[in-house]
């Protein structure tokens, strides 16, 4: 496949092939690319958050331990963007597809913006948590994660134990939430259709999900604006274009 965008005719032809089968266990994986049309930036794409020349280090577990306010200085402004963003046509197409799906449907997302749930998707597994929540940095603190839309630029103090609070998201060098990882592994074991959308395919463990789906015998598709380099051998089909344009066509709404 070349780097040119996939034509509408090709997408509709793929839709016809998908509709000809009865899928029992659908798994969808989404990355930051699906939320670009909602006004949110990607992480590693052109102009992505972690590719800015002024960013000396990415937000990881070490940064949190050294200076929780530094983490907030990066995610506070993004939280304001998330608060005002609205689901786009890609989010809505997935939510409607879930409603029509005759079998099980699991949506695994690397995104922390909450837009899938706001679009109406029900079976959403937030692999990297949610920027719309805050929790304590102290592992043994009894404070439960809570809804919080404030765009903090300095770490607030936990009202329970006095330690710094943090966004309820997974930073680099941190493991996935245990329940999210379990749900992902369980869904992939049963998967017969796997659709990845707007993801760079470089962040582990989500980058390995297609391999797990393929091992289970699933049909695998990638929808992305740019092709993977090198091409991932476990994707059967690669559809290039804007998710908000391709998904309504692919999922039977165009």
């Amino acid at each position: 496949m070349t780097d040119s965008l996939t034509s509408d005719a090709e997408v509709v032809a793929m839709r016809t092939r998908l509709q000809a089968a009865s899928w029992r266990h659908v798994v969808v994986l989404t990355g930051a690319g699906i939320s670009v049309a909602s006004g949110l930036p990607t992480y590693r794409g052109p102009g992505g958050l972690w590719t800015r020349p002024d960013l000396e280090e990415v937000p990881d577990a070490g940064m949190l331990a050294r200076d929780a306010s530094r983490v907030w200085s990066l995610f506070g402004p993004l939280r304001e963007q998330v608060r005002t963003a609205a689901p786009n046509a890609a989010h809505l197409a997935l939510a409607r597809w879930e409603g029509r799906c005759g079998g099980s449907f699991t949506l695994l997302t690397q995104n922390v913006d909450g837009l899938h749930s706001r679009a109406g998707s029900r079976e959403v597994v937030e692999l990297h948590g949610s920027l719309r929540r805050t929790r304590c940095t102290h592992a043994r603190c009894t404070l439960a994660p809570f809804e919080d839309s404030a765009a903090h630029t300095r770490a607030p103090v936990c009202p329970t134990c006095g330690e710094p609070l943090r966004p309820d998201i997974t930073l680099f060098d941190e493991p996935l939430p245990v329940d999210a990882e379990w749900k992902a592994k369980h869904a992939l074991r049963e998967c017969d259709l796997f659709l990845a959308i707007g993801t760079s395919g470089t962040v582990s463990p989500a980058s390995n999900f297609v391999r797990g789906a393929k091992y289970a015998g699933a049909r695998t598709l990638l929808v992305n604006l740019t092709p993977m380099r090198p091409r991932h051998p476990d994707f059967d089909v690669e559809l290039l274009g804007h998710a908000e344009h391709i998904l309504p066509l692919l999922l039977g709404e165009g």
Side-chain angles (χ1 to χ4, degrees), residues 78-226:
L78 183 59
R79 181 178 266 188
E80 178 63 21
Q81 290 179 268
V82 165
R83 187 184 66 80
T84 59
N88 64 57
H91 298 105
L92 296 171
L94 284 173
R96 287 191 285 264
W97 189 37
E98 178 183 2
R100 301 192 307 272
C101 188
S104 70
F105 186 101
T106 304
L107 200 165
L108 311 173
T109 185
Q110 297 170 281
N111 298 339
V112 296
D113 52 37
L115 292 179
H116 285 300
S117 295
R118 291 172 60 193
S121 291
R122 300 184 301 276
E123 297 299 324
V124 181
V125 178
E126 293 177 322
L127 297 169
H128 295 165
S130 173
L131 196 55
R132 299 166 65 87
R133 294 191 302 267
T134 294
R135 63 182 171 94
C136 187
T137 56
H138 197 290
R140 296 183 180 179
C141 182
T142 59
L143 179 73
F146 59 93
E147 296 293 320
D148 182 16
S149 61
H152 306 290
T153 55
R154 295 192 59 81
V157 174
C158 175
T160 300
C161 71
E163 292 296 315
L165 295 176
R166 58 170 291 176
D168 188 20
I169 57 176
T170 303
L171 303 175
F172 290 95
D173 298 329
E174 289 187 325
L176 297 186
V178 173
D179 59 339
E181 186 171 22
W182 184 90
K183 289 177 182 178
K185 289 180 177 179
H186 179 77
L188 290 166
R189 281 199 300 267
E190 305 292 331
C191 177
D192 58 1
L193 177 62
F194 179 82
L195 174 61
I197 306 156
T199 177
S200 65
T202 60
V203 178
S204 179
S207 57
N208 297 317
F209 286 175
V210 64
R211 185 171 293 111
K214 198 65 180 174
Y215 183 79
R219 177 76 164 163
T220 57
L221 291 80
L222 172 68
V223 175
N224 208 32
L225 186 58
T226 57

Side-chain angles (χ1 to χ4, degrees), residues 24-88:
R24 296 176 296 108
H25 302 287
V26 175
V27 176
V28 177
L29 171 67
T30 65
I34 198 171
S35 296
V36 170
S38 296
L40 299 178
T42 62
Y43 294 101
R44 288 177 174 77
L49 288 174
W50 312 144
T51 62
R52 300 195 326 249
D54 62 317
L55 188 66
E56 297 179 356
E57 56 181 338
V58 295
D60 59 11
M63 178 187 290
L64 181 69
R66 292 190 303 273
D67 186 1
S69 289
R70 175 62 176 149
V71 173
W72 279 108
S73 72
L74 295 173
F75 285 104
L78 183 59
R79 181 178 266 188
E80 178 63 21
Q81 290 179 268
V82 165
R83 187 184 66 80
T84 59
N88 64 57

